[in-house]
Amino acid sequence: MLVVGLLSMVASVQSSDPLQKYTISAPGINATFIPYGARLTNLYVNDKNGEPQDVVLGFDDPADYIRNDQTVHNYFGPVVGRYANRIKNGTFTVQGVTSHIPQNENGGRDTLHGGKIGYDQRNWTVVSANSTSITFSLLDLGFEGFPGNVITYATYTVSPGPTWTSRLVSLPLDEPTPIMLANHVYWNLGAFVDAAGSTVLNNTLHMPYAARYVEIDNIEVPTGAIGTVKGNFLDFTSPKQIGRDIESAINNCGYNCTGYDNAFILDRPRYSGPESTDLSMLTLSSNSTGIQMDIYTNQQSLQIYTCDNTNGTIPVKQSQQHDDGTTNVEKYGCIVIETQQWIDGVNHPEWGQDQYQIYTVDSEPAVVFARYDFSVVGDC
């Protein structure tokens, strides 16, 4: 009865247009979303000259998100789930029940971002909206073979700072199930304003608490081993330009791929806590615009992908066209930062991730909190 009641409630307020744009704003920031994937399409913050710059990738025409999902499927800006990142063999067992999820990557050897039709391709419902905040909901009736039914709320808020805050809250309604959501935003803080700003290679990245990472095989599925970054190209525990060591990252993002696509483990200091949001987990800045972003999250991992496979075939948005000619997204033209738990933790009980990835009707909800604080380098 609970599921039927929720379904009726959601249907009664469902937006008639999943591609309708909703913009929220606060001093120094404005952000636009569409219900299709509960997706961020634009985010403007001021650069070092006081000019607003759109620092996320996507499309001007919302219909292009659907076209992209039906072809190359880049996952520009949505919520991904029910389980973000990869699941080995598309299979897992929870409380003695084995589930098989469609294997949509690497010739059927793993599941990526929830299966063939994940949360990113679902039409979410707008349940509340005002000038500074919007909330979407999605009722997942066992999509893609995941066990049980789950309702999720995605609330996005902008505030002076300027700050964008994302809160993803999921409630299982009946059966035990893995839940691991993430925002899948493609960032370019350089906003393509000049040649250096057309890639993230000159961006400075700092992850002070990311001294460990999840080791992966040649299709980017965890091996079960945990590595340390000290002294190698994965070490961003001190500020470092992304491009400094990237040429050493050979086969690091899959076979015959050079670049970053790694799950970094967040080991907060002892005076903090495993899910505390008191410390910045990541700082990223661009010399081209002077824009800096700090991320605070309750998650225990950051998946970092440096757009190693973009190839110049997708044009940037009109808001990011700063030259006479069309600017396209080249290799290393962006960076994805997914705040989440450990990749494929559902298949590695030895990691002790079950309490953060397996949820039941009598457990706490699954909550992904992420706060993005923007500033200008030198003004912090």
Side-chain angles (χ1 to χ4, degrees):
M1 289 297 293
L2 177 59
V3 174
V4 173
L6 283 168
L7 181 58
S8 299
M9 178 188 70
V10 170
S12 67
V13 295
Q14 187 164 357
S15 170
S16 60
D17 184 2
L19 302 181
Q20 180 178 340
K21 293 183 178 182
Y22 295 83
T23 298
I24 57 177
S25 60
I29 185 171
N30 74 71
T32 300
F33 305 88
I34 58 174
Y36 179 65
R39 188 180 307 259
L40 176 67
T41 64
N42 304 81
L43 193 149
Y44 288 87
V45 292
N46 291 338
D47 66 12
K48 59 189 176 183
N49 299 315
E51 296 294 326
Q53 301 293 345
D54 189 355
V55 293
V56 302
L57 273 65
F59 301 104
D60 292 312
D61 181 358
D64 282 336
Y65 291 102
I66 297 176
R67 298 184 188 103
N68 179 269
D69 288 347
Q70 293 173 344
T71 53
V72 292
H73 203 174
N74 293 108
Y75 301 92
F76 281 121
V79 174
V80 290
R82 181 186 302 190
Y83 195 92
N85 220 315
R86 293 171 174 88
I87 301 173
K88 185 176 182 178
N89 297 324
T91 303
F92 56 83
T93 300
V94 173
Q95 296 188 11
V97 178
T98 299
S99 297
H100 302 278
I101 313 302
Q103 294 144 283
N104 59 327
E105 191 187 38
N106 293 310
R109 289 188 284 171
D110 67 276
T111 297
L112 176 65
H113 295 326
K116 292 181 179 178
I117 305 178
Y119 284 14
D120 62 298
Q121 294 183 78
R122 304 287 175 175
N123 296 332
W124 293 56
T125 299
V126 178
V127 296
S128 178
N130 58 42
S131 62
T132 60
S133 184
I134 186 167
T135 297
F136 298 95
S137 71
L138 180 69
L139 182 58
D140 173 356
L141 299 173
F143 296 157
E144 298 297 281
F146 281 92
N149 304 297
V150 173
I151 189 162
T152 295
Y153 297 92
T155 298
Y156 304 132
T157 304
V158 291
S159 56
T163 295
W164 171 45
T165 301
S166 170
R167 291 176 294 166
L168 309 177
V169 181
S170 300
L171 298 164
L173 303 177
D174 36 43
E175 300 178 33
T177 181
I179 302 174
M180 189 171 83
L181 308 188
N183 298 108
H184 200 275
V185 179
Y186 284 71
W187 300 94
N188 184 317
L189 299 187
F192 303 93
V193 297
D194 55 22
S198 66
T199 76
V200 297
L201 296 177
N202 293 316
N203 284 194
T204 299
L205 177 61
H206 184 204
M207 296 184 289
Y209 307 109
R212 298 189 297 157
Y213 70 100
V214 177
E215 294 189 11
I216 53 177
D217 62 18
N218 63 7
I219 61 168
E220 303 185 80
V221 170
T223 64
I226 304 299
T228 59
V229 305
K230 186 175 182 180
N232 65 44
F233 57 84
L234 290 167
D235 192 351
F236 289 92
T237 55
S238 297
K240 181 177 74 174
Q241 285 193 331
I242 291 173
R244 194 187 82 177
D245 298 326
I246 202 167
E247 293 302 323
S248 299
I250 301 169
N251 296 324
N252 179 61
C253 46
Y255 177 72
N256 203 29
C257 175
T258 300
Y260 295 101
D261 195 3
N262 300 96
F264 291 87
I265 296 169
L266 299 175
D267 294 310
R268 293 166 173 83
R270 60 182 298 180
Y271 59 81
S272 186
E275 298 178 280
S276 295
T277 61
D278 55 334
L279 300 170
S280 173
M281 293 293 106
L282 178 148
T283 302
L284 181 70
S285 63
S286 165
N287 287 333
S288 294
T289 59
I291 295 171
Q292 177 170 299
M293 178 174 70
D294 282 274
I295 299 179
Y296 299 77
T297 181
N298 67 337
Q299 300 297 281
Q300 296 176 324
S301 176
L302 295 172
Q303 181 78 24
I304 304 297
Y305 169 61
T306 50
C307 296
D308 316 309
N309 300 311
T310 53
N311 58 9
T313 59
I314 298 174
V316 302
K317 292 174 289 187
Q318 191 60 42
S319 57
Q320 297 164 330
Q321 301 282 358
H322 297 283
D323 298 318
D324 292 336
T326 299
T327 301
N328 291 345
V329 184
E330 304 291 342
K331 185 175 183 179
Y332 309 132
C334 42
I335 181 171
V336 178
I337 305 165
E338 302 171 42
T339 59
Q340 59 190 221
Q341 301 296 351
W342 295 20
I343 173 177
D344 200 30
V346 68
N347 281 317
H348 291 278
E350 72 275 16
W351 291 345
Q353 274 277 300
D354 282 7
Q355 64 178 314
Y356 306 110
Q357 299 197 19
I358 308 299
Y359 294 88
T360 66
V361 291
D362 55 359
S363 72
E364 71 280 4
V367 178
V368 181
F369 173 87
R371 191 181 86 228
Y372 305 81
D373 287 358
F374 296 92
S375 57
V376 171
V377 176
D379 292 346
C380 305

